[in-house]
Amino acid sequence: MRLLSQEELDGLLPAETAAFPGPIPTQSVSSDEFMPAPQTEQQRRVEARIKALGSALGQTHGMTRRQFLATASGMAAAFVVMNEVYGTLYSASLAEAADRAMAAERAKSLRDQFIMDCHTHFLRDDTRIMTFVRQRQAVGKAGWNPALADKEQTLEDLKFANYYKEVFLDSDTKVALISGSPSDIPQDWFLTNEMKAEARARVNRDAGARRMLSHAIFTPGQPGWLEAIDRAIADLKPDSFKGYTIGDNTNKQISKYPWRMDDEKVAYKGYEKFLKAGLVNVCVHKGLFPPSIETQFPHLLAYSDVRDVGRAAKDWPQLNFIIYHSAYRFAGGGRVEDAWGQFEKTGRIEWVTDLAEIPSKYGVTNVYGDLGQILPRARWPTRGCARRCSGSSSGGWAPTTWSGAATPSGPARLSGRSRRCVGSRSRTTCRRSTASSRSGRPTAPSRTRSSARPTRACTSTSGARLSREIASRR
């Protein structure tokens, strides 16, 4: 199933040739998950200014513009430009951009910041989900990770060894949460609950420290789902549970067991077990259900929005409900300009604002919004809504090596988070990533722009070396 029609694809440019390969994205890129927004006037100004400043500063260091923009000073220069165009958002200076030693020292000072990657994935050894391979190929062609461009991507790149390397060796992640996605077809679970627990045990054993946490997936309504919760609690000891109210998100066309968070006869039986076990964090996938998907699966709409969140939160004040993606609906085949258009006209974003209003409407303080899969233009208003929801001024965010969508990643995202000078009191950075790409759909080569550089490409490395390296980086 394609998310963009051939007519829509014909109206786009290939990102591998049309994108500016700078340190931060200057235009939206789609990997067939959504219709990318046109480059705005402000984005054009940012791109032009980065080019000019990069050329000038690069010349002073005897470097080409491309070489300079790949340095820490080049990243600083990009943030300086964003401050010039959008107003002061980041603590970056021309001095840091001009002085490579100063920029390198600042980067070094941030090396030990605590980063928790709160939503990660890899695929099981017997997976049949080949579409994720095409997503990684699209990432390479788009130039987001140049080392992927010339490397043939296979299913092995989506499995544990590569995940281990990308998350714990090629990034600054200190703690990762391994998650999954269920299916009515057993083989199409990304990972079984047992597989996630085994991965957690292996990583923590090799690291000699608690570097990985694990979800257990619960599936209300499926045959034996309550017994599965009991087994998970007794044998696997998950750190929290996660559910998909849509049911089978991978194969929506056959989803037999969608459920509501406020269903007293079904979901509440699971909550009772969680609370009894002391597992108070309940993660729930919401959103990623744009109008184009709604037209195909209208019967799943009521299970994808947030109409069922408020009552569940009020009835279960002892539990924390973490709503993944903050219920943002416009990824997975939607258009970011639809979300932005709503925000500009009404100050609202469909479902996201509804989620943010739940605490005041229901008088609760146990609902939280995650910012995974939020596209750049909608990120800041969505972040604001997520803060309203949680009552927090810090908040975390999510993806990108998993996404292959138009989200800043790797250096751009983490540097941006550490540089934020507006309401950034948290010492913990939360993000979301994976060894594979998120949509699970066939994709044409990535379309229109972005050049954020994710973590380095994955090459097969022996488990022994991985164990030694992760232990040495504790």
Side-chain angles (χ1 to χ4, degrees):
M1 179 177 63
R2 300 188 70 144
L3 297 180
L4 295 181
S5 68
Q6 188 59 51
E7 182 180 358
E8 289 172 322
L9 291 174
D10 290 342
L12 300 176
L13 297 173
E16 57 266 31
T17 57
F20 165 55
I24 60 175
T26 56
Q27 185 167 358
S28 180
V29 172
S30 171
S31 58
D32 195 30
E33 290 189 295
F34 63 97
M35 189 68 176
Q39 190 179 39
T40 67
E41 176 58 32
Q42 287 179 313
Q43 288 171 334
R44 283 192 288 271
R45 288 171 55 198
V46 168
E47 181 174 318
R49 178 64 175 140
I50 289 176
K51 290 177 179 178
L53 189 57
S55 296
L57 293 177
Q59 189 173 18
T60 66
H61 293 289
M63 306 171 74
T64 66
R65 181 179 71 195
R66 184 169 185 174
Q67 290 171 331
F68 173 76
L69 291 177
T71 68
S73 283
M75 182 68 71
F79 284 112
V80 167
V81 170
M82 291 185 70
N83 283 344
E84 292 177 356
V85 174
Y86 295 107
T88 302
L89 295 170
Y90 302 100
S91 57
S93 67
L94 275 174
E96 183 186 352
D99 188 333
R100 291 177 60 199
M102 179 180 178
E105 183 60 31
R106 188 185 192 285
K108 183 179 178 181
S109 71
L110 298 172
R111 180 181 181 89
D112 294 327
Q113 64 182 324
F114 180 76
I115 298 171
M116 179 177 177
D117 207 333
C118 56
H119 191 171
T120 70
H121 292 283
F122 64 88
L123 298 182
R124 58 197 287 169
D125 285 340
D126 64 345
T127 184
R128 62 179 191 171
I129 306 177
M130 291 295 297
T131 50
F132 291 147
V133 176
R134 290 189 282 273
Q135 285 283 46
R136 284 183 68 90
Q137 291 171 342
V139 167
K141 290 179 180 179
W144 302 349
N145 189 339
L148 293 183
D150 298 324
K151 179 182 181 296
E152 181 181 359
Q153 299 300 302
T154 71
L155 280 175
E156 294 306 309
D157 295 301
L158 309 176
K159 297 180 181 179
F160 177 77
N162 195 32
Y163 164 90
Y164 195 145
K165 179 179 183 293
E166 286 195 337
V167 172
F168 292 106
L169 303 183
D170 290 350
S171 80
D172 293 327
T173 299
K174 299 299 188 291
V175 176
L177 172 62
I178 182 64
S179 189
S181 179
S183 174
D184 294 342
I185 301 172
Q187 191 179 355
D188 285 349
W189 281 57
F190 290 175
L191 298 169
T192 66
N193 288 335
E194 290 76 13
M195 291 172 182
K196 290 189 287 292
E198 290 169 4
R200 177 186 60 183
R202 178 175 176 183
V203 169
N204 292 341
R205 180 180 63 248
D206 290 349
R210 195 180 184 197
R211 299 289 300 277
M212 178 176 277
L213 308 178
S214 174
H215 274 152
I217 302 297
F218 70 109
T219 56
Q222 280 198 4
W225 74 281
L226 289 171
E227 292 78 7
I229 290 176
D230 290 336
R231 287 194 302 272
I233 292 172
D235 300 335
L236 306 180
K237 297 178 173 53
D239 298 285
S240 64
F241 276 86
K242 178 189 175 188
Y244 283 69
T245 51
I246 196 172
D248 189 338
N249 193 49
T250 301
N251 305 297
K252 296 180 180 68
Q253 71 278 10
I254 63 167
S255 183
K256 300 176 184 177
Y257 304 103
W259 53 279
R260 288 180 59 103
M261 291 176 61
D262 59 359
D263 189 330
E264 296 180 6
K265 296 181 179 180
V266 182
Y268 281 23
K269 294 180 180 179
Y271 303 158
E272 184 177 353
K273 291 179 180 292
F274 303 159
L275 186 59
K276 184 177 180 179
L279 296 170
V280 299
N281 294 324
V282 183
C283 303
V284 181
H285 170 101
K286 287 285 191 180
L288 307 194
F289 199 82
S292 59
I293 299 299
E294 178 187 347
T295 59
Q296 299 176 62
F297 310 107
H299 63 292
L300 296 177
L301 175 66
Y303 303 98
S304 301
D305 61 23
V306 298
R307 69 185 71 184
D308 54 346
V309 176
R311 183 179 167 220
K314 191 173 185 66
D315 288 349
W316 294 88
Q318 312 95 319
L319 299 178
N320 298 317
F321 293 95
I322 298 112
I323 307 303
Y324 273 48
H325 317 292
S326 291
Y328 177 80
R329 75 174 303 195
F330 294 101
R335 305 190 320 152
V336 68
E337 55 261 50
D338 290 341
W340 184 251
Q342 286 183 358
F343 184 74
E344 286 190 317
K345 291 178 181 178
T346 67
R348 303 177 63 86
I349 295 180
E350 198 171 4
W351 300 2
V352 174
T353 306
D354 297 328
L355 178 68
E357 293 173 345
I358 284 174
S360 60
K361 184 176 180 180
Y362 287 86
V364 298
T365 59
N366 58 337
V367 177
Y368 300 84
D370 150 78
L371 294 182
Q373 204 74 1
I374 308 300
L375 305 176
R377 204 173 178 191
R379 184 174 301 118
W380 292 114
T382 304
R383 182 179 174 85
C385 290
R387 284 183 174 179
R388 285 176 57 195
C389 184
S390 66
S392 168
S393 65
S394 54
W397 55 48
T400 149
T401 53
W402 169 241
S403 144
T407 49
S409 60
R413 169 156 294 194
L414 294 182
S415 182
R417 170 66 175 175
S418 65
R419 290 176 184 276
R420 285 200 66 245
C421 47
V422 180
S424 183
R425 294 200 289 263
S426 174
R427 290 182 298 170
T428 301
T429 296
C430 297
R431 59 192 177 89
R432 173 174 175 262
S433 69
T434 187
S436 56
S437 71
R438 175 69 175 85
S439 77
R441 312 288 188 218
T443 115
S446 297
R447 307 292 174 137
T448 37
R449 276 76 49 205
S450 178
S451 53
R453 293 185 286 274
T455 53
R456 296 189 298 275
C458 309
T459 56
S460 61
T461 310
S462 72
R465 180 191 161 218
L466 290 173
S467 300
R468 289 195 302 271
E469 291 193 21
I470 193 172
S472 70
R473 290 181 52 147
R474 286 188 311 215

